[in-house]
Amino acid sequence: MELTLAILKPSAVERGLIGNIISRIQDKGLIIVGMKMMQLDENILKQHYSHLVDKPFFPSIVRSMTATPVVVLCLKGVEAVRVFRDMTGVTNGRNAAPGTLRGDYCMSGQANIVHASDSPENAKIEIARFFSPAEVFDWMPADSAFYYGEDELKM
Ligand code: ADP
């Protein structure tokens, strides 16, 4: 099974969308193995968005991502990184397909409600950035045979 990181951004927290987004994650069958609320700061955002630090809009990203606490989630599933990235949709909510989280819940390229890791390698780095090992739980639902077939459960 693969792990991925989700961040419910201030645009989700402020707009009361936490419950809807978590419901969509659970409805899909991704397993929540870590979850907490935390206040981000410029230091962690410089690491998390290191590919954007030199962009002129980076200060605006920092203001947007520190406006309220966020909810960080560690999600588990077969191909969890790709599956949750597909559920999230493209960066700009105005272009994101209907049925995706960004496509259904936002109108912005910046206040786009959710972060999703973009590769298994980055997911490992991001999970370690936001969670201590003790905060990520090694559990599966008792009825996991109804989430996956036998061969998939070994993946
Ligand atoms: P994604 O979140 O889809 O993986 P990026 O890694 O390119 O996209 O960008 C990270 C986040 O930075 C975006 O989700 C968005 O909140 C913000 N962002 C990206 N591009 C812009 C931009 N041109 N102006 C303002 N904010 C941006």
Side-chain angles (χ1 to χ4, degrees):
M1 294 268 166
E2 199 169 74
L3 300 180
T4 192
L5 181 85
I7 304 176
L8 311 192
K9 298 183 178 188
S11 42
V13 174
E14 181 70 33
R15 293 178 51 214
L17 294 172
I18 295 172
N20 286 358
I21 296 169
I22 290 178
S23 284
R24 297 262 295 244
I25 288 168
Q26 294 191 301
D27 287 350
K28 176 63 178 167
L30 286 161
I31 310 302
I32 296 172
V33 296
M35 179 164 71
K36 65 180 175 180
M37 188 172 244
M38 63 189 288
Q39 176 64 48
L40 303 185
D41 60 20
E42 185 168 356
N43 182 42
I44 200 167
L45 288 166
K46 280 183 172 166
Q47 298 169 39
H48 183 65
Y49 288 137
S50 58
H51 58 297
L52 299 173
V53 165
D54 295 332
K55 301 285 187 195
F57 52 82
F58 186 72
S60 175
I61 291 181
V62 173
R63 286 192 292 276
S64 154
M65 289 295 290
T66 59
T68 70
V70 298
V71 174
V72 290
L73 297 139
C74 183
L75 308 175
K76 179 161 78 174
V78 176
E79 298 177 51
V81 173
R82 184 189 56 75
V83 168
F84 188 61
R85 188 88 182 162
D86 287 350
M87 277 181 73
T88 294
V90 298
T91 304
N92 189 323
R94 294 192 300 282
N95 300 331
T100 64
L101 293 168
R102 286 170 173 168
D104 286 355
Y105 289 130
C106 73
M107 285 289 288
S108 172
Q110 179 171 82
N112 56 2
I113 69 161
V114 68
H115 167 79
S117 301
D118 64 3
S119 69
E121 298 71 31
N122 282 340
K124 283 195 184 79
I125 295 166
E126 292 180 354
I127 290 162
R129 179 176 295 136
F130 289 95
F131 288 97
S132 71
E135 290 173 328
V136 177
F137 297 89
D138 183 17
W139 81 284
M140 278 296 284
D143 64 349
S144 48
F146 297 95
Y147 283 71
Y148 291 108
E150 289 174 19
D151 290 345
E152 291 167 321
L153 277 172
K154 296 174 198 149
M155 293 169 82

